[in-house]
Amino acid sequence: MKITYTARKVTLKDNFKERVEKKLKKYDRVFSDDAEAMVKVTVYKNRQTVEITINDNGMIYRVEDTKAEMNEALDVDMDKLARQIRKNKTRLAKRLRESAFDEPLVEDEGEEENEAEVEYELFRTKKVSLKPMSPDEAILRMNMVDHKFFMFLNSDTDKISVVYIRDNGDYGMLESEVDG
């Protein structure tokens, strides 16, 4: 697995990088050798955020946590990643290595041994008419209807896009792209 580090308002020490590599090494049997992990560490006034994004064969796994210390945030991120993989184990088994789930990724401490298999059930389908508009107008409309996201036809790019509110209150935008 190739690991790329990005540090904002902090200089990462070698012992933190070694710790990240040691923790991600546990997932070598789950992800292919071509997997790419991006570790982004951001330091704010009294909190540190560690965000890990793993891209493997078109599947993206992302975890993020903010704590007082970056090592604490890293530990929580690793737990979240393990839960994310374990929760979707049967669906992921088709896309990941065959032997990935022969052994448990982490020891379940205090968690139920057999987590109930979650079935995704589509409750409602809604049709949306896509009106060409700018991202700013889409954000305004999203805020007016008090939603967390809003799909629209981006008048700047002529692509279907989605604006959304991030956990930290900032806005994000997803733009469609056809894989070829």
Side-chain angles (χ1 to χ4, degrees):
M1 182 182 305
K2 180 185 170 208
I3 302 172
T4 306
Y5 297 94
T6 304
R8 292 187 177 167
K9 299 181 183 179
V10 67
T11 302
L12 295 179
K13 295 188 176 160
D14 289 337
N15 64 350
F16 178 78
K17 291 179 181 179
E18 289 169 9
R19 186 170 179 176
V20 169
E21 290 166 15
K22 179 182 173 187
K23 288 188 175 282
L24 286 177
K25 192 161 184 65
K26 294 177 185 177
Y27 297 97
D28 279 350
R29 68 178 190 273
V30 174
F31 300 114
S32 70
D33 295 333
D34 298 334
E36 295 179 7
M38 292 173 282
V39 179
K40 183 166 54 170
V41 180
T42 307
V43 173
Y44 300 104
K45 292 179 182 173
N46 57 352
R47 57 197 165 114
Q48 300 178 12
T49 300
V50 176
E51 175 186 333
I52 300 172
T53 306
I54 300 173
N55 190 340
D56 185 26
N57 295 325
M59 291 289 291
I60 297 175
Y61 308 85
R62 184 182 174 282
V63 290
E64 176 181 351
D65 198 64
T66 302
K67 296 284 183 201
E69 295 292 325
M70 68 179 75
N71 287 332
E72 292 174 32
L74 176 64
D75 292 342
V76 172
D77 281 350
M78 288 297 122
D79 292 342
K80 285 181 180 179
L81 183 61
R83 276 194 307 272
Q84 199 177 83
I85 291 171
R86 194 171 49 243
K87 179 179 174 185
N88 295 296
K89 175 165 84 171
T90 54
R91 288 178 187 82
L92 292 174
K94 297 173 189 166
R95 298 199 61 144
L96 299 175
R97 294 182 176 187
E98 290 179 22
S99 62
F101 299 109
D102 291 346
E103 301 172 25
L105 289 173
V106 292
E107 296 299 320
D108 293 335
E109 298 173 8
E111 291 187 33
E112 295 178 26
E113 266 185 46
N114 296 324
E115 287 186 16
E117 199 56 39
V118 176
E119 285 295 321
Y120 299 118
E121 189 175 333
L122 189 60
F123 290 103
R124 180 178 167 193
T125 301
K126 188 173 185 179
K127 295 190 188 240
V128 179
S129 71
L130 298 175
K131 178 185 173 205
M133 63 182 74
S134 69
D136 288 338
E137 184 180 350
I139 290 171
L140 176 65
R141 287 179 176 241
M142 174 183 64
N143 289 336
M144 295 297 288
V145 294
D146 197 29
H147 284 174
K148 301 283 184 206
F149 64 93
F150 188 82
M151 183 172 27
F152 66 104
L153 182 61
N154 192 332
S155 59
D156 299 338
T157 63
D158 290 329
K159 292 183 178 183
I160 296 172
S161 302
V162 176
V163 290
Y164 61 96
I165 298 177
R166 296 176 46 93
D167 289 339
N168 65 3
D170 292 341
Y171 295 102
M173 185 167 75
L174 304 173
E175 248 184 9
S176 62
E177 185 173 88
V178 178
D179 285 342

